[in-house]
Amino acid sequence: MTAPHDLLDRWIDAHFDEEVRFLQALVQVPTDTPPGNNAPHAERTAELLAAFGFEAEKHPVPAQEVHDYGMASITNLIVRRHYGDGVCVALNAHGDVVPPGDGWSVPPYGAVVRDGRLYGRAAAVSKSDFATYAFAVRALEAAAGEVLKGSVELHFTYDEEFGGEKGPGWLLARGLTRPDYAIAASFSYAIVTAHNGCLQFEVTVEGKMAHAAIPETGVDALQASVQILQALYECNYRYRQMKSHVPGITHPYLNVGTINGGTNTNVVPGRVVFRIDRRCIPEEDPAAVEADVRAVIAEAAARQPEVKVDVRRILLANPLKPLPGNKPLVAALQRHAMAIFGEDIACVGTPLYADARLYGEAGVPTVMYGAGPRTVLESNAKRADEHVELADLKRATKVIARTLLDLLA
């Protein structure tokens, strides 16, 4: 007699070419964020899911709310598959992605398959897990439908690059979903149970423009900014002494990503704007981190009383912390990943931040697991020639399907 898990594997093997075509169709619809005009991709996804008999609820975020957020359009999708009384497991992946940039050897939205890899922007992060999760559920229903209890929800959302507040955060805040467990998009060779948080700030330094021939008549905003920046960068020496206890996460760090200012070479800069990214380890309190960053800026600015400094927070993404209730998820994923990949799959943290944290903040035991390589670097995620190994896609689909069977049988 064939074991139920083997039946799942066979179904996925038999339908894998269809899964690849599904992923190609998803990659071929751009979702560059910014500008973040992502409702068309949601419409296409819903159309593709309908071909499987999966009805996708469309939850558009109001246009003014999206505009104020800095994006063009967001429609989040929920597919609900109910099998009876029992736990509800949500599977979340995001469709938005950074623009492709230069240096591609293939068209970034061509979804080219070459040498066992599917290339394209978002092929790895994280449209691949639209496919992983949808086809895992299809396999589950086709091969084990008669023994299932509980329910599965597919959450396909579209603002992870902006922090997730209008994606999973928006769905959870409005009571549109309340799962018992959540699995969010990630890679195949580790189960992520924690991730860093992130605070981002925009700092505006106002001085007074002047002709470069008579600089004493102005107030140099760039010179003041340099002193503030030096004080901020010196914080990294202190942060390196703050070690996280979570494997895979080291210490906090601060980065200045953009600087803009000045009007011409022969003009004393009257205004400079720069943006800071401060990563928080799971042990840190983001409110205390924010207060510390603001204090460092204020102390450096106080030494230059002629300038005016404004600090505006533009992002708060809390860390994902492991919740005790995630043990059934971790145990099932590790067991089946070992069976499919033939190696131990560790539980780790990641220095990235993701919208998975929003499920954790809502009290939902959450882990991150999906299709992809051992590291972000290997997949070229957010770089030219982003790709997913098709072997990893197939195996991750099997692991998710087997895990769902354990949770719902």
Side-chain angles (χ1 to χ4, degrees):
M1 181 176 176
T2 305
H5 294 128
D6 293 333
L7 293 174
L8 295 174
D9 295 348
R10 291 182 183 181
W11 190 96
I12 292 164
D13 286 336
H15 293 81
F16 188 63
D17 287 347
E18 186 183 356
E19 183 174 356
V20 172
R21 291 193 296 272
F22 175 74
L23 177 54
Q24 286 178 302
L26 295 173
V27 169
Q28 286 163 353
V29 180
T31 47
D32 296 356
T33 304
N37 183 28
N38 295 334
H41 190 276
E43 293 291 336
R44 178 59 172 147
T45 302
E47 179 183 275
L48 293 167
L49 292 168
F52 309 151
F54 284 7
E55 179 184 356
E57 298 173 9
K58 300 174 186 177
H59 296 282
V61 180
Q64 188 61 51
E65 196 173 332
V66 175
H67 181 267
D68 293 345
Y69 194 53
M71 293 176 61
S73 68
I74 302 172
T75 298
N76 297 308
L77 303 178
I78 300 178
V79 175
R80 305 181 201 267
R81 308 298 290 176
H82 187 65
Y83 314 117
D85 294 337
V87 299
C88 175
V89 183
L91 305 172
N92 169 246
H94 67 92
D96 59 305
V97 71
V98 298
D102 300 325
W104 288 73
S105 67
V106 294
Y109 291 110
V112 172
V113 173
R114 185 177 68 194
D115 299 327
R117 297 172 169 178
L118 192 156
Y119 287 82
R121 177 52 88 230
V125 182
S126 71
K127 290 176 183 175
S128 56
D129 283 331
F130 280 45
T132 305
Y133 298 157
F135 275 74
V137 175
R138 290 189 68 194
L140 186 73
E141 295 182 1
E146 70 281 357
V147 302
L148 300 177
K149 295 181 179 180
S151 58
V152 177
E153 293 181 359
L154 301 176
H155 296 176
F156 295 147
T157 55
Y158 286 92
D159 79 322
E160 197 268 353
E161 298 296 342
F162 272 52
E165 296 292 345
K166 303 303 178 188
W170 193 85
L171 296 175
L172 290 159
R174 280 152 187 77
L176 294 167
T177 182
R178 180 61 193 188
D180 297 291
Y181 299 105
I183 301 174
S186 188
F187 292 162
S188 304
Y189 294 88
I191 300 163
V192 176
T193 58
H195 66 58
N196 273 353
C198 181
L199 278 161
Q200 293 180 352
F201 304 97
E202 183 177 84
V203 181
T204 302
V205 181
E206 297 278 3
K208 181 181 177 182
M209 285 195 301
H211 196 292
I214 46 173
E216 66 277 3
T217 64
V219 177
D220 192 331
L222 181 56
Q223 186 174 6
S225 296
V226 167
Q227 295 190 42
I228 295 171
L229 291 167
Q230 183 175 355
L232 287 168
Y233 276 120
E234 286 175 354
C235 291
N236 280 329
Y237 296 105
R238 171 162 53 96
Y239 296 157
R240 290 191 188 99
Q241 309 309 311
M242 302 166 59
K243 304 296 185 184
S244 175
H245 299 295
V246 178
I249 295 177
T250 54
H251 53 75
Y253 50 96
L254 180 147
N255 179 66
V256 178
T258 64
I259 304 176
N260 294 288
T263 57
N264 204 354
T265 311
N266 62 348
V267 178
V268 173
R271 187 170 187 265
V272 172
V273 180
F274 58 90
R275 289 192 166 192
I276 306 166
D277 180 295
R278 167 60 159 86
R279 297 300 164 113
C280 313
I281 60 177
E283 292 86 349
E284 288 186 294
D285 174 9
V289 171
E290 178 168 357
D292 179 68
V293 171
R294 288 179 177 273
V296 170
I297 295 171
E299 183 179 349
R303 296 195 290 268
Q304 302 152 94
E306 291 182 289
V307 300
K308 178 183 175 183
V309 179
D310 177 71
V311 181
R312 180 173 68 92
R313 188 180 76 197
I314 55 177
L315 174 70
L316 167 58
N318 290 313
L320 173 65
K321 300 179 182 181
L323 292 174
N326 71 15
K327 288 183 172 57
L329 288 174
V330 171
L333 287 167
Q334 284 189 312
R335 181 167 59 253
H336 294 299
M338 177 65 186
I340 297 298
F341 284 84
E343 60 181 271
D344 289 328
I345 302 297
C347 285
V348 300
T350 176
L352 306 174
Y353 74 91
D355 48 12
R357 74 188 190 281
L358 296 161
Y359 292 95
E361 289 175 22
V364 180
T366 303
V367 301
M368 299 172 64
Y369 187 83
R374 296 180 190 277
T375 68
V376 172
L377 189 63
E378 289 178 28
S379 69
N380 279 2
K382 300 194 177 183
R383 301 191 300 156
D385 284 354
E386 179 179 349
H387 61 271
V388 64
E389 297 278 351
L390 294 180
D392 288 339
L393 176 65
K394 180 190 286 189
R395 290 185 289 190
T397 305
K398 292 179 179 180
V399 173
I400 293 293
R402 285 165 161 246
T403 296
L404 292 174
L405 180 58
D406 284 9
L407 295 171
L408 300 174

